[in-house]
Structures are given as structure tokens and as C-alpha cells.
Amino acid sequence: MATFRDLLQRKSDASDRSAGDRARHRQLVKEAIKDQLPEILTEEAIIGTSGSKKIKVPINSIKEWRFIYGRPRNGVGQGPGQEPGDQIGSTGDEVEQGKPEEGGNEAGDIVLEVTVDLEELIDLMFEDLGLPFLERKKFHEIEVESESKWEGLREQGIEPRLDLEASFIEKLKRQKILETQLEIALRTNPEEAKRILEELEKMPFPFREEDLRYHRVTTKVKEESNAIIFPIMDVSGSMDQMKRYLAKAFLFMLYRFIKTKYRRVEMAFIAHDTEAKQVSENDFFHLSGSGGTFISSGPLKALELIKTLYPPELWNIYAVHCSDGENYSNDNEPAIKAFQELVKISNLVGFVEIKSDAGWSNIGDKIKGAIKDDHFQLIKIKEKNQVWPRFRDFMNCDKKYRE
Amino acid sequence: MEEMREYTVQELEDWAKRIEDIAGSFGLDWYPQEFEIVDYEMMLGILAYNGIPSYYPHWSFGKAYERQATLYKYGLTYLPYELVINTDPSIAVLMNENPLPLQILTMAHVYGHNNFFKNNVNFQKGTRAELALEFFRASAERIRSYTADPSIGLKKVEQCLDAAHALKYHSSRIPGNRYVTQEERTKKVRAESPGRDLKVFPLEPEENFLLFMRDHSPRRLEDWQKDIMTIVAESFDYFKPQILTKIMNEGWASYWHHKIIRTLPLSPDLRLAIADFHSRVVRPPENPMMINPYYTGIEIWQGISQKQPERLFHAMRTGSDTSFLRAYLTQELMAEMGFFSYKTEGQAIVVDEVVEEDSWKKLKQLMIRDTGLGSVPVIHILHADYEDARSLYLKHFFDGRNLEQQYTQKTLEYVHYFWGRPIYLETATFKRKAPFIYKFDGKTQTKYRRK
């Protein structure tokens, strides 16, 4: 005679078992995304785009590796009315084969992609670069524009005054607190752990009323509200993925930071080897040139664009040159001259060298030696954790705004 | 249909009694059956661990949970109505949310499974139902203790489990085949073929990766690592019979739930509702690239029951999916069930051949190839002292299907984790058929033509 047990009476015993494994899996997913950030972010055009853009992230390191068969796929299927030649599937998607021991459910293959908001990836990038938590708030987008200057924050307000930036920070803070609480709860209170885990598992992480922050309104108007940023890239050298990632991170932060200070910000990407031309963001990070370098061509192109499109009377000018430092020696003088001219009419100009090995070139030093202005900076970046401090110091040299 | 939503545990017990009486009258026997009532959340938790109450912790179970929960959330799957495990006593799970007709169907189905677990040779030879729960409980306890041990800790245990999980599929495909140590083999060969060269190591191509490496690795493996290898290998041994008899087993349970329901005294409303659920379970799959084991199995068993009823129980006792399909899947049944083969053309997957006079045998062969452990490449250890340097030489028995490169290389890293010396894997490709070698030496992955 069969026996029956009603486990709903003692629910908490059974349910805590999977909570630990789910939390661990979630942690690994986050780490996987972080590991792939350089790859993901260098592939996507992020600098000019809205933070609500969604990005598909393939999750590689939580694949369960084992020996399996690959392409081409063939096998036996089942379904009435199929004729030779009918298409029943495609090889496109990133799927993982179901394991032999998994149940006979219909969906054998698993799609291994997570869809994430760009803002969440940006936040992971900042975590990756070691930005102090409170500094990150400067970089989150303000979607809403208004004539009034905002001063301070309140917890109540109307929609148009919603400060997404501050609200996002509140949300992040709450998320961090929840994550800490989860760790504790997993050890002491399985019921609670389950509840917290469910809250965290709603991805993208939702806003709550209490997160929202609104601006207090006063009547000041933003003056001088246009900025143009010239990212200039020496594409003659080889930029590996890590260098591209660091360059992109630096430029991204610059863009977002400048955006908090000006009503309207534009970017004009310039790529050069021995010649310079204006390009798209994607090309900026992916082009490679002929091998020879005339550094002067970069700033000269910027000057040309300033003359024709971005007069300094109307535009605040920012420029950042990224290179690995090599230059034809007969171009050194022209390069110094070009930068001198650019510096005269800009708020801030940077010469950034990203190098993984020891040898810094001397052209950077030469140019800095010749241009004494404070708002021209030589920036040397060797690894991830230098990006933020170098950036911060760089922004402090802005002729217009000091931190 | 209102009265069907409310029912008491007592009612379920009454229905179980009626089902047991009828099952008994059909000649079925079973391990004592226990039913546990849960809600869908608990069901997700139980499913993630294949129904075993105390499995050891690992993130892959968290992933399985997420996946199942997502599929369920988007309505892409019904949670399996039935989850019953091969233990003595057997434990089955009923979901609280399910209406009475579904519970009755589920319980009838469960007894079919129980009978199969008790009588099929794969289970009898390959598992000890009365010891299973204790084995898993004790294994989980030991693994937790390694995680809690400050000299080991979570990361190290996880790394070992990740590697062991990858390799567990490579062992004997015949349940009940005991792993034979090299000493035993040497004794046997010495006795039976005195002239043979005994210096070959392993003496014969070895199927069992985990246990062989546990016993012979040149890398000094810690006791806890060896224990984990043993636990993972033995845990997989436990599930192997289920993998090898998926179609037979689901078909058997469906066949008997169908007969039991027909015999049960049911009100017209109940009968109608149950028939509706039944038809949803046994029908061609939503995704035509898969086959439905419930549908395929029940059709074959019904075929046997019509044509050779005296062989019914014998077939259940002695077969596994490959022999079952070989012996009892007829051209007629294949046509009826709409089987077809598919192939890749560029980016598309298209139907290749359907069931016809000149194609059905090939089709059947393909189906048998993919059944059971068919999706696991056959790879043996040929040399454990390759190059006289304790390198490991593996051979993939190429049957026309290519190994997937990235997965292969990542898995070789796991082999290296246990073995510590260079790993070679010989295989071939569909296009060229000439053998080539993957090599991983601990740092670099290479690939080259075999000379």
C-alpha cells in the first residue's frame, strides 16, 4: 500500500538545497560576463549610444565541457508531414547540447546567452577597473534635459525631474546590500536566502519606489553648453584586444564625464597612420593601417575639422590621442607644432600611451616637454587598474572645470 | 469540471490503492511506492538533482534549475508530471497544483516505471536500489566536508568536480560491467594467453577514464580528489541504466498507465480529462528535431502487445533501447510515427530522407546510433606511458562524426587536471578521414596530422 507525505508542511527544509547552487551559478555568470567584458565592449559601439541598449552576452565559462560531436549536425527527427528539403532548424544560435542524463524534455538544447542592459555592463566595467563605487555616479547617463539647473535631490517629485543617475545609484546600492545579505542568509536562514535570491534573479534588476530620486529645481541655466571630443587613434601599430578595451574604457569615461557638464556633446573619431581620416566608432577600434606613422596627421585633422565644423567660439574642445608611441623622426617637430596649436584652443588634450611592456617611446615625452600647459597631459597606461586614477588626474586638468 | 480541483490526500490514497490492485492483476510487481506532495517551486528544486534527495552541491545544478525555471516561465515545457526514482522503496513526486485527473494518470504512470526499475536487467545488474539513497547521502556529506575543510575549500572542490563531470561519460556502456583493475587484467591475461606482451599499459584499451586515472595518475592525487572521482563515477553508473532505456522505460510506463486507466472505474468527466492529458504526453514532439520517447515507446509496446504478446514481459526484462529498437521498430511503425533524417545544408537544417522502402533501414540505423549514450563519442585510453614519459594517448573511434573542437580542447584540459602529463587524442574528420591529433601539454593546445 502506497504511502503519501505532504512536504508542503515542511517546505523550508527542501527548498534551501538548490539556493546555494543557484547563488554560486549566478556568481559564475557574473564573473563570466566580467571576463568577457573586453571582448563584448570592444565589439559593441557604446560610446555614443544610450544606456538602455540591450546587449546579448554569450556565456562561455559556464559551459559544461565534455567530448561531444560537432558540425555538421545530422540525426533523426519525428513529425508527420515532413518532406525532403523542408527546413526544420538553423545552425545559427549559440546553443549547448543537452546532457545525456537530462530528462526527456522537448527542449534539449540550451541557449547560452544572457541579455543585459548596457548600463549594467558599464557598471561591471567600472567594477573591473576598480572605480570606487561612489565615483561611478558621475558616469551614468542623464536622459532628461531641462532648462533649469538641478541642485540637490529629493525623494519625491514628478517624472520629468526624475534623476535617473542618482536613482540608478540607489538601485545599485540596494543590489549590493542584497548581495551581502544573501551571503549571510545562505548560512543562517534558508527561507530568507530564497527570497533574496528571487529578488536578485530578476534581471535586469528592477527599480523600486524607494530608489527613485528627483531633482530640486532652481532656475539657473547651463551656459556654454556644447562640447566636441576628438578621439584620435594611431592605427598603424597593433592594438590587441586588451589595449582596445582600455582605450575604449578611457574614452567612454571621457564621453560620459563631459556629458555631465555640457548640454550637447559630439564625438569625431579620427584614425591615422601616415594619413588621417574621420571614421565611425567601430572602425576607430578595428582599423589597422599601413605600418608607417605620422603622428602629426592626427591633430592636424582635428584642427581641420575645428576650422570647418566646430569653431572654438561655439564649441568646447577636448582631444585624446591614443598610440603606442612610435613616430617617424622627421615628423616629431610637426607633431609638436600640431599639438601646440590644438592645445591653444582646447579645454583639455591628452596624449595616451597604452603599453603592456616596458618600453615607453620618447615622442610622448618630447611633446610634453615642449608643451608646458597644464591642460595638456601625457598619460601612460600599462594595466587595468591604472585607467581610473590616470583618468581622474587627467580630468582635473580641464581648463574649464576643476574637480 | 469544478469538483476535480479539490481533492484530499485521502482521495489520492484511495486512487493509489485502486491502481495498485489493477496493476497487480496485470502481473506487475514493484518496490514499495512512496508519494511526496510538493509545489512547483520544490519540484524545480528536486528536478535539478534528478530527483535524488541529497545530492552533492555543484553550480551545474543551479544552472539546471535556472534553465528549467525559464522554460517553465515561458510556457515552453510542462514540468514533467512524474518524477520517480529507482530506489527501494521508490519515491515519486506529485505537484500540488495538478488537478485530480492528472494525479491519477501520474500515479498509474509511476507504477509502470517502478515495475521497470525492478525488473529490467540494466537496473538489476547496474544498480542497488535499496542502497542508492544512502550512497548519495554519504557522498554528499563527504564532499561538503571537503568544501568546509580549510585546507581544501570550495574552489578546489569545484575544480575537481568540473573535471570529473566532464569525463564521467566515458566508462563501460554495459551496466553491471565492473571496472577491472590492471592487476586483475594482468592475472587474467597471464593465465589465458601466456605468450602476450604484458608490458603494454594499459593491457587492453581502457574505457573508464575516471577510475583508471584515479588509480594510475602520475600526478600525486590527494585522497579527497580520488574520492570525488569515485563518487562521480559511481553516481553516473547509477543513472546509466536510465539513459540506456529512456524510450523503453517511458514507453512501458505509458503503455501501462494507458491500460490501467482503461480499467479504472472513472466518471465520464474524469475519463475525458485524463484522456486529454494522455494525448498531450504521447504525441509527436513540438520540436521536430527531437523524438518523443513516450510516444515512440508506447507505439512499439502496443505493437508488441498486438503481434507477440507472449514476449511482452521478456522484452521488458532483457532489453535496452538499442536492442529494443532493433528488434521491434518496424517499417510500418516508423512510417506511422513520421520519422525522418535531417542534415545540415549551409546554415539550415533540412529534412533528408523520410520512411520509404529504400531508406527506412538506414533511418532506423541512424536512430539506433543516436539512442542511449549515442551522443557520447567513444574514446578509449590506448597508452598510459606514451613516449616512455607517462603521457596519455587517447583514441576516438571515428564513425563519421567530427568531434567539436572547442569542447574537445577544453575537455583535454580536464583530463590533464587529473593526469598531469601531456595528453594526446587521436581522431579524424568527416572531410578528410585521415587521422590527426589534438595535444595538450598543460600550457599549449596543438593539432597536427598523425604520421
Side-chain angles (χ1 to χ4, degrees):
Chain A
M1 186 44 218
T3 47
F4 283 76
R5 282 191 291 276
D6 189 345
L7 293 191
L8 291 168
Q9 314 287 356
R10 352 183 218 113
K11 189 169 164 175
S12 58
D13 291 348
S15 53
D16 103 294
R17 203 158 47 106
S18 66
D21 287 340
R22 286 155 61 199
R24 179 64 185 149
H25 172 248
R26 193 176 184 278
Q27 204 176 13
L28 289 175
V29 171
K30 192 172 166 189
E31 279 171 33
I33 296 179
K34 250 211 223 166
D35 280 344
Q36 288 172 234
L37 268 183
E39 191 182 308
I40 299 164
L41 291 178
T42 51
E43 290 311 304
E44 297 283 332
I46 61 168
I47 296 189
T49 60
S50 146
S52 60
K53 174 175 174 177
K54 295 214 186 297
I55 299 187
K56 277 197 177 154
V57 179
I59 310 291
N60 267 316
S61 54
I62 49 170
K63 273 187 179 155
E64 292 165 87
W65 307 111
R66 59 197 188 283
F67 291 119
I68 60 169
Y69 293 115
R71 313 260 172 94
R73 289 183 71 175
N74 67 6
V76 171
Q78 186 175 38
Q82 299 287 358
E83 293 296 319
D86 288 353
Q87 179 167 358
I88 54 171
S90 69
T91 60
D93 307 315
E94 179 75 24
V95 290
E96 184 181 38
Q97 281 178 31
K99 295 183 288 188
E101 68 268 36
E102 261 149 24
N105 295 348
E106 313 250 338
D109 291 348
I110 315 165
V111 177
L112 282 179
E113 280 176 346
V114 176
T115 306
V116 193
D117 276 350
L118 178 59
E119 284 301 329
E120 308 208 46
L121 282 183
I122 303 292
D123 199 63
L124 273 178
M125 177 181 79
F126 290 151
E127 212 179 287
D128 190 37
L129 296 174
L131 253 75
F133 187 66
L134 291 176
E135 297 289 354
R136 297 184 209 167
K137 88 171 174 168
K138 299 189 177 88
F139 300 97
H140 288 291
E141 275 193 319
I142 301 177
E143 305 273 29
V144 181
E145 298 193 30
S146 144
E147 287 289 342
S148 332
K149 174 119 174 13
W150 296 327
E151 273 186 337
L153 298 168
R154 305 165 55 213
E155 279 191 40
Q156 278 167 8
I158 56 175
E159 270 269 15
R161 301 212 187 101
L162 181 61
D163 181 351
L164 273 182
E165 156 194 305
S167 305
F168 192 84
I169 300 311
E170 290 306 310
K171 182 182 101 170
L172 279 177
K173 282 192 205 157
R174 185 162 61 83
Q175 184 173 345
K176 285 278 175 281
I177 291 170
L178 272 181
E179 283 176 358
T180 315
Q181 284 176 349
L182 175 64
E183 244 137 84
I184 300 172
L186 279 173
R187 276 176 266 135
T188 57
N189 183 349
E191 271 298 310
E192 183 64 18
K194 237 179 68 75
R195 193 191 63 73
I196 299 175
L197 188 62
E198 271 161 25
E199 187 65 40
L200 278 169
E201 271 168 351
K202 294 175 194 149
M203 200 150 145
F205 201 56
F207 279 99
R208 277 237 190 114
E209 267 313 303
E210 71 245 37
D211 297 330
L212 302 178
R213 295 287 179 272
Y214 298 86
H215 289 285
R216 232 174 268 280
V217 179
T218 63
T219 51
K220 280 198 213 149
V221 177
K222 246 191 200 171
E223 302 171 52
E224 320 272 354
S225 44
N226 291 338
I228 174 71
I229 305 176
F230 292 103
I232 307 171
M233 176 78 87
D234 169 6
V235 296
S236 64
S238 59
M239 272 251 183
D240 64 22
Q241 195 183 73
M242 182 46 74
K243 288 186 190 167
R244 283 199 210 117
Y245 173 53
L246 298 182
K248 196 175 251 223
F250 192 91
L251 289 169
F252 176 80
M253 285 159 66
L254 180 68
Y255 171 72
R256 282 288 177 88
F257 199 76
I258 302 280
K259 217 174 165 213
T260 64
K261 300 193 186 311
Y262 297 90
R263 285 263 318 270
R264 181 171 156 207
V265 180
E266 284 190 20
M267 305 271 279
F269 293 93
I270 297 171
H272 79 85
D273 45 26
T274 52
E275 284 179 356
K277 59 179 181 175
Q278 190 175 3
V279 296
S280 67
E281 178 184 337
N282 260 331
D283 281 348
F284 185 79
F285 288 102
H286 288 100
L287 276 179
S288 46
S290 60
T293 317
F294 284 149
I295 286 184
S296 66
S297 66
L300 284 174
K301 185 70 179 174
L303 286 167
E304 182 191 310
L305 290 172
I306 290 168
K307 223 172 175 185
T308 51
L309 297 170
Y310 302 105
E313 307 79 57
L314 297 176
W315 293 87
N316 289 271
I317 299 171
Y318 293 83
V320 175
H321 184 280
C322 300
S323 98
D324 63 1
E326 301 305 321
N327 197 27
Y328 280 139
S329 52
N330 59 353
D331 185 59
N332 286 348
E333 275 307 311
I336 291 174
K337 275 230 179 79
F339 274 108
Q340 272 170 336
E341 270 210 57
L342 190 55
V343 168
K344 263 192 244 156
I345 53 175
S346 306
N347 286 359
L348 186 58
V349 177
F351 191 91
V352 178
E353 279 182 39
I354 301 179
K355 263 187 145 56
S356 46
D357 43 51
W360 302 109
S361 76
N362 57 13
I363 179 62
D365 292 315
K366 277 213 172 79
I367 302 181
K368 183 54 193 168
I371 306 178
K372 304 277 196 239
D373 305 64
D374 242 357
H375 63 283
F376 175 75
Q377 286 296 314
L378 175 63
I379 300 153
K380 294 182 181 175
I381 297 178
K382 209 169 164 184
E383 44 200 26
K384 268 200 289 210
N385 58 18
Q386 292 178 331
V387 175
W388 165 244
R390 300 279 182 278
F391 175 79
R392 189 191 50 209
D393 294 341
F394 179 55
M395 293 319 292
N396 278 336
C397 300
D398 187 341
K399 209 157 88 172
K400 199 92 182 249
Y401 293 103
R402 302 275 166 171
E403 270 299 288
Chain B
M1 296 279 212
E2 239 81 45
E3 68 272 25
M4 264 160 268
R5 241 185 283 133
E6 306 287 331
Y7 52 87
T8 60
V9 176
Q10 182 58 57
E11 282 180 70
L12 289 180
E13 286 180 9
D14 294 341
W15 283 108
K17 174 88 177 55
R18 285 177 206 126
I19 289 169
E20 282 194 355
D21 287 343
I22 295 173
S25 76
F26 281 133
L28 300 182
D29 68 337
W30 53 87
Y31 298 127
Q33 186 67 59
E34 299 177 354
F35 289 97
E36 295 184 335
I37 301 173
V38 302
D39 65 19
Y40 92 92
E41 268 183 343
M42 295 161 79
M43 181 61 142
L44 285 174
I46 295 166
L47 261 181
Y49 300 96
N50 295 306
I52 302 295
S54 52
Y55 218 92
Y56 56 78
H58 187 254
W59 59 263
S60 60
F61 303 120
K63 175 179 166 187
Y65 181 106
E66 301 286 354
R67 182 193 152 214
Q68 197 68 40
T70 310
L71 290 174
Y72 183 67
K73 183 166 113 174
Y74 290 107
L76 294 173
T77 189
Y78 295 105
L79 285 184
Y81 314 117
E82 33 99 11
L83 182 54
V84 49
I85 54 177
N86 168 35
T87 53
D88 179 9
S90 166
I91 307 175
V93 178
L94 297 176
M95 274 205 301
N96 186 49
E97 291 87 344
N98 287 343
L100 184 61
L102 192 47
Q103 304 291 34
I104 296 173
L105 180 67
T106 304
M107 288 192 287
H109 191 88
V110 161
Y111 281 98
H113 276 310
N114 190 337
N115 169 257
F116 194 90
F117 291 148
K118 187 160 190 251
N119 290 280
N120 176 273
V121 63
N122 292 283
F123 291 87
Q124 288 182 330
K125 286 247 160 78
T127 68
R128 301 281 302 276
E130 72 282 9
L131 301 177
L133 288 184
E134 179 47 34
F135 163 75
F136 285 110
R137 195 206 56 76
S139 304
E141 199 176 275
R142 291 206 304 282
I143 291 185
R144 279 186 223 273
S145 75
Y146 301 143
T147 307
D149 181 334
S151 68
I152 309 174
L154 172 69
K155 285 246 165 76
K156 282 197 192 168
V157 170
E158 200 174 73
Q159 191 184 22
C160 186
L161 278 174
D162 288 354
H165 282 176
L167 302 174
K168 70 185 185 186
Y169 301 98
H170 302 278
S171 61
S172 169
R173 299 199 179 196
I174 302 170
N177 262 15
R178 216 171 41 79
Y179 163 67
V180 178
T181 64
Q182 292 303 301
E183 279 140 50
E184 288 168 301
R185 276 194 211 271
T186 311
K187 256 189 230 141
K188 191 158 172 272
V189 167
R190 207 176 260 139
E192 292 173 8
S193 337
R196 252 176 79 175
D197 177 12
L198 296 175
K199 278 189 265 89
V200 178
F201 179 53
L203 210 50
E204 282 153 346
E206 177 59 62
E207 298 179 288
N208 197 319
F209 278 34
L210 284 178
L211 298 186
F212 182 83
M213 289 199 287
R214 175 198 67 184
D215 293 344
H216 300 286
S217 171
R219 191 182 156 189
R220 209 182 66 82
L221 292 172
E222 311 270 338
D223 284 345
W224 65 267
Q225 288 172 310
K226 294 189 191 179
D227 191 23
I228 285 182
M229 293 166 91
T230 311
I231 289 171
V232 171
E234 290 180 5
S235 301
F236 186 69
D237 278 348
Y238 171 82
F239 287 108
K240 220 181 293 187
Q242 293 178 44
I243 297 174
L244 296 172
T245 58
K246 185 77 197 167
I247 296 174
M248 275 182 86
N249 196 351
E250 291 300 350
W252 186 254
S254 304
Y255 175 81
W256 286 108
H257 87 223
H258 182 66
K259 285 195 76 137
I260 291 170
I261 296 295
R262 281 236 303 257
T263 318
L264 268 178
L266 296 166
S267 72
D269 282 347
L270 266 180
R271 189 168 293 285
L272 196 59
I274 293 177
D276 182 50
F277 283 119
H278 169 83
S279 70
R280 280 193 245 165
V281 171
V282 298
R283 61 163 186 196
E286 293 278 326
N287 176 357
M289 272 169 55
M290 314 220 58
I291 69 170
N292 182 346
Y294 299 79
Y295 175 49
T296 308
I298 197 180
E299 291 283 322
I300 300 178
W301 285 118
Q302 282 174 345
I304 298 173
S305 151
Q306 273 160 29
K307 305 234 173 92
Q308 314 160 70
E310 70 289 353
R311 292 192 68 79
L312 196 74
F313 280 89
H314 174 79
M316 176 272 286
R317 287 202 182 89
T318 58
S320 54
D321 279 352
T322 43
S323 63
F324 182 66
L325 293 175
R326 203 169 278 132
Y328 301 111
L329 181 60
T330 61
Q331 178 181 357
E332 202 187 320
L333 280 172
M334 287 184 73
E336 227 176 82
M337 288 195 271
F339 288 111
F340 58 86
S341 62
Y342 60 82
K343 63 179 180 187
T344 311
E345 256 175 22
Q347 295 280 52
I349 298 179
V350 300
V351 174
D352 186 10
E353 292 181 301
V354 295
V355 179
E356 314 239 281
E357 195 53 52
D358 60 346
S359 65
W360 76 276
K361 282 194 182 147
K362 210 169 80 181
L363 222 64
K364 179 169 166 177
Q365 195 44 48
L366 198 56
M367 206 172 139
I368 291 173
R369 180 198 77 172
D370 287 346
T371 205
L373 284 166
S375 61
V376 179
V378 177
I379 303 178
H380 291 166
I381 299 173
L382 283 196
H383 305 290
D385 192 16
Y386 190 60
E387 304 172 312
D388 286 322
R390 305 303 304 282
S391 302
L392 198 65
Y393 192 93
L394 308 173
K395 182 164 175 172
H396 165 226
F397 286 86
F398 183 72
D399 65 358
R401 291 179 284 176
N402 300 343
L403 292 179
E404 204 287 339
Q405 172 153 321
Q406 190 190 26
Y407 275 76
T408 298
Q409 291 180 321
K410 290 284 187 184
T411 308
L412 287 181
E413 290 175 25
Y414 284 144
V415 178
H416 187 273
Y417 166 85
F418 289 121
W419 193 255
R421 309 280 309 131
I423 315 289
Y424 296 81
L425 170 60
E426 180 187 318
T427 180
T429 58
F430 181 65
K431 282 210 174 111
R432 287 203 195 86
K433 298 223 171 86
F436 67 93
I437 311 244
Y438 283 100
K439 175 181 172 186
F440 180 65
D441 63 6
K443 288 212 184 72
T444 332
Q445 296 271 7
T446 41
K447 209 173 135 185
Y448 55 90
R449 187 72 59 80
R450 192 194 78 174
K451 290 165 260 300

